[in-house]
Amino acid sequence: MKTADLQKQVAALEAKNAEFLNDLQRTRADFENFRKQVELQKSQAMSAARYATVRQLLPLLDNFTLAIKMHPELLPLQASLDKTLQELKLSIIDSRPGVEFNPELHDAITMEEGEGAKEVIAETLRPGYLYQGETLRAAMVKVKRA
């Protein structure tokens, strides 16, 4: 075989090799993108499941809080409840009387007229909760002007 023929075969094999290498690199990149997408979807699904579970706990938390208020002897349980809420990354929205009304955190049920220009909470009817810093359920409140 002539040197020219061998050089042509080597060039053809090098071109084929480069093509295979490009295909392999594209396949690796596609797989890595697919893996990242699956991880993102998995993370989003887990987050949605946690959110739904915590949301279903709210009526139980309402009843537990009411029981503690109605039966002061249960007050030591409040510390346990607070610790559990903290572990769940769940916090109670501040809706004490006198706190400034915030429509992103509070649902106003009634509005009492007053002489002031500032809207403040008069009474909390149902506590609200933040989950991981976002409003899970707004506090149901009565508002007055002060």
Side-chain angles (χ1 to χ4, degrees), residues 67-84:
I68 291 171
K69 285 181 184 177
M70 300 293 270
H71 298 283
E73 68 274 11
L74 297 176
L75 197 55
L77 293 177
Q78 184 68 50
S80 176
L81 177 63
D82 292 343
K83 182 180 177 188
T84 301

Side-chain angles (χ1 to χ4, degrees), residues 7-48:
Q7 288 176 344
K8 286 180 184 178
Q9 283 182 343
V10 168
L13 289 173
E14 286 176 346
K16 198 75 151 162
N17 187 33
E19 182 182 331
F20 287 147
L21 182 61
N22 285 336
D23 286 347
L24 177 62
Q25 289 172 339
R26 271 194 304 276
T27 302
R28 280 185 179 168
D30 288 345
F31 180 75
E32 188 62 25
N33 290 338
F34 172 76
R35 188 188 64 74
K36 287 177 183 178
Q37 184 65 31
V38 167
E39 285 296 318
L40 177 64
Q41 289 173 350
K42 181 180 172 183
S43 174
Q44 289 172 339
M46 288 175 64
S47 180

